[in-house]
Amino acid sequence: MRDDEQVLAANSGFYAAFAAQDTAAMAALWAQRAPVACIHPGWQPLLGRDAVLASWRAILSGPGAPPIRCGDAVAHVLGDSAYVICVELIAPVELIATNIFVREDGAWRMTHHHASSIARGASEPEEDPEPEGFLH
Amino acid sequence: MRDDEQVLAANSGFYAAFAAQDTAAMAALWAQRAPVACIHPGWQPLLGRDAVLASWRAILSGPGAPPIRCGDAVAHVLGDSAYVICVELIAPVELIATNIFVREDGAWRMTHHHASSIARGASEPEEDPEPEGFLH
């Protein structure tokens, strides 16, 4: 498999663990040595493997975790790291995610996840202080 | 300078170009060869240098661009790439950003920017389908 295919497979593994509420698989796919961080939608950032994995344990063990699907994933390889942009479909909500991976011990492991809300079909910013202006 | 200090300096350069509405500086700080992408708050992702720089030209040349400041920046170096997490202060709005950099020709250049809204002081997700549940 090419690097980008391997990265997309790792990205799919993340969403498979998420959808299956599999805390052991989720813990295994995060980097062991590279610095780990996570920004859940609307949250302050979590820094460090312990804080990030604790958040996933809480999320995956909660009763309210809805089905999640990943779509439109695009991988960008930067040597021994890579980032994926994809849509997260959690009906009726659509989120956008940036997932960063790093090659560790021959496997692509997640180092950072940032998910946020997106306007469906948006081509304009959600926050627009003036008709002609952009927040960015 | 250590790598993380260089990355933080590159991150500061991005916000300096943004605050100064300097389109030439903004164009120069994005990667020339590495794959470029950008997720403005609430937007669909933009892929490719041309689309990303066109968006910045529109934003920086618009009359509505408010003052922006970067805070709480933390750099995580992954060899020849790195990611920074920081807060973007655009009064009265507070955003959270993930910025990915790659080393090109000895300089740290931006390959991806993802900014999204954040609840001030939030420790809970902004979208919570059930009292005990998390979107993630």
Side-chain angles (χ1 to χ4, degrees):
Chain A
M1 269 205 295
R2 297 196 315 259
D3 277 348
D4 59 338
E5 295 169 330
Q6 292 178 30
V7 170
L8 288 174
N11 193 64
S12 295
F14 167 72
Y15 289 102
F18 195 159
Q21 299 181 254
D22 185 337
T23 54
M26 181 60 80
L29 63 84
W30 283 85
Q32 299 287 337
R33 295 184 296 281
V36 162
C38 187
I39 303 171
H40 295 295
W43 291 34
Q44 297 287 337
L46 301 173
L47 303 180
R49 200 168 194 279
D50 290 349
V52 170
L53 291 189
S55 76
W56 284 108
R57 278 194 301 275
I59 290 167
L60 298 182
S61 65
I68 184 167
R69 263 189 322 119
C70 164
D72 298 340
V74 181
H76 300 97
V77 178
L78 310 167
D80 287 327
S81 66
Y83 69 98
V84 173
I85 296 172
C86 60
V87 171
E88 298 182 349
L89 303 159
I90 312 176
V93 175
E94 193 169 309
L95 301 170
I96 187 80
T98 296
N99 297 321
I100 308 179
F101 296 87
V102 65
R103 203 182 329 239
E104 273 189 351
D105 308 321
W108 288 98
R109 297 212 181 102
M110 186 169 267
T111 58
H112 180 49
H113 168 72
H114 180 169
S116 61
S117 59
I118 190 168
R120 193 180 297 268
S123 59
E124 295 295 316
E126 65 181 354
E127 297 158 314
D128 191 343
E130 298 182 31
E132 298 297 310
F134 296 85
L135 251 188
H136 78 119
Chain B
M1 268 204 296
R2 297 197 315 259
D3 278 347
D4 60 337
E5 294 170 331
Q6 291 178 30
V7 169
L8 288 175
N11 193 64
S12 295
F14 167 72
Y15 288 102
F18 195 160
Q21 298 181 255
D22 185 336
T23 54
M26 181 61 79
L29 62 84
W30 283 84
Q32 298 287 338
R33 293 183 298 281
V36 162
C38 187
I39 303 172
H40 296 293
W43 291 35
Q44 297 286 338
L46 301 173
L47 304 181
R49 200 169 196 277
D50 289 350
V52 170
L53 291 189
S55 76
W56 284 108
R57 278 193 301 274
I59 290 167
L60 298 182
S61 64
I68 185 168
R69 261 188 323 120
C70 163
D72 298 340
V74 180
H76 300 96
V77 178
L78 309 167
D80 287 327
S81 65
Y83 69 97
V84 173
I85 296 172
C86 60
V87 171
E88 298 182 348
L89 304 159
I90 312 177
V93 175
E94 193 168 310
L95 301 171
I96 188 79
T98 296
N99 297 319
I100 308 180
F101 296 87
V102 64
R103 205 184 325 240
E104 272 189 352
D105 309 321
W108 289 97
R109 296 212 180 101
M110 185 168 267
T111 58
H112 181 48
H113 168 73
H114 180 168
S116 61
S117 59
I118 191 168
R120 194 180 295 269
S123 59
E124 295 296 316
E126 65 181 354
E127 295 157 316
D128 192 343
E130 298 182 31
E132 297 299 309
F134 295 86
L135 251 188
H136 76 122

